[in-house]
Amino acid sequence: MRKKALALLRQYNESEALVRHGMQVEAIMRFYARQAGEDPEYWGCVGLLHDVDYERYPEEHCKRAVEILKENGYDEAFIHAVVSHGFGLVTDVEPQLYMEKVLYTIDELSGLINAAAIMRPSRSVMDLEVKSVKKKFKDKKFAAGVDRQVILDGCQRLGAELDQVMEQCILGMRENHEEIGL
């Protein structure tokens, strides 16, 4: 399942940064799935493909994903999960399931964590701490493109504290740090 998802992501995205972002989100989703007793492969593929249409169709992000995923045999539940990560930004599909709420929350946060990690001398998540990420979160000029309100809304939807979600994301990224380049 992952091999097919990664091939599809690469088919629609030439940017290594976007592919790496997909892998980072995948790693976090797998971590959360294991914590919840769910299928890490399925959750990981949802994370991997969440931005499948972003590079080619930025103005139709989450809309073209529906067509692409249907054409490639993904079911409605998978597609709903992928599309719901853009809730309030590019789509009105609201995250309902726990998996969807996790994806919605961690997509933006993974970008902030990536930026914080590459600013470190080690350029790694392996020595990155929550307090460092939280400091960067508060600095609106740092990774200015990261929508902090989406992250906070996502934490509320999950019923989780920001520090806890940051820690889970870091731990998830650490598990796959070599492949994601951190």
Side-chain angles (χ1 to χ4, degrees):
M1 183 176 200
R2 184 191 191 264
K3 191 174 180 179
K4 175 187 169 189
L6 184 57
L8 184 61
L9 179 65
R10 288 190 181 280
Q11 179 183 337
Y12 283 89
N13 292 274
E14 293 179 18
S15 164
E16 274 307 307
L18 284 173
V19 171
R20 228 178 2 266
H21 170 66
M23 290 178 177
Q24 290 169 358
V25 172
E26 172 195 20
I28 298 165
M29 291 296 287
R30 286 176 174 274
F31 181 86
Y32 267 93
R34 283 192 299 280
Q35 297 294 313
E38 298 290 339
D39 181 0
E41 183 82 0
Y42 185 82
W43 282 42
C45 288
V46 167
L48 192 58
L49 289 172
H50 80 283
D51 281 345
V52 68
D53 62 353
Y54 187 77
E55 184 176 9
R56 257 194 219 175
Y57 309 105
E59 301 302 317
E60 298 176 87
H61 181 42
C62 289
K63 292 167 185 64
R64 285 294 187 106
V66 174
E67 300 166 23
I68 293 166
L69 295 171
K70 274 185 185 174
E71 288 170 6
N72 284 277
Y74 290 93
D75 66 21
E76 291 299 320
F78 189 99
I79 294 167
H80 188 276
V82 166
V83 173
S84 71
H85 90 275
F87 177 67
L89 302 170
V90 295
T91 183
D92 59 356
V93 177
E94 191 168 355
Q96 300 292 327
L97 302 175
Y98 179 66
M99 174 183 62
E100 296 168 346
K101 293 174 185 178
V102 169
L103 178 61
Y104 173 78
T105 307
I106 62 110
D107 178 28
E108 293 285 317
L109 185 53
S110 69
L112 183 78
I113 292 169
N114 178 73
I118 62 174
M119 295 300 293
R120 301 183 66 72
S122 66
R123 298 183 58 81
S124 175
V125 292
M126 297 310 286
D127 61 353
L128 183 64
E129 298 297 328
V130 170
K131 67 180 179 180
S132 299
V133 177
K134 192 136 188 205
K135 185 177 179 183
K136 298 295 187 188
F137 182 88
K138 291 177 182 176
D139 179 359
K140 304 294 186 231
K141 292 179 184 169
F142 182 81
V146 172
D147 191 329
R148 284 139 169 93
Q149 192 53 51
V150 168
I151 297 167
L152 293 172
D153 180 47
C155 288
Q156 187 174 20
R157 288 172 184 275
L158 289 172
E161 295 295 321
L162 178 60
D163 289 16
Q164 177 189 7
V165 175
M166 286 179 173
E167 181 178 21
Q168 302 282 32
C169 288
I170 292 168
L171 292 172
M173 291 170 85
R174 282 181 183 167
E175 288 184 356
N176 204 21
H177 70 99
E178 288 178 358
E179 186 176 22
I180 64 175
L182 295 174

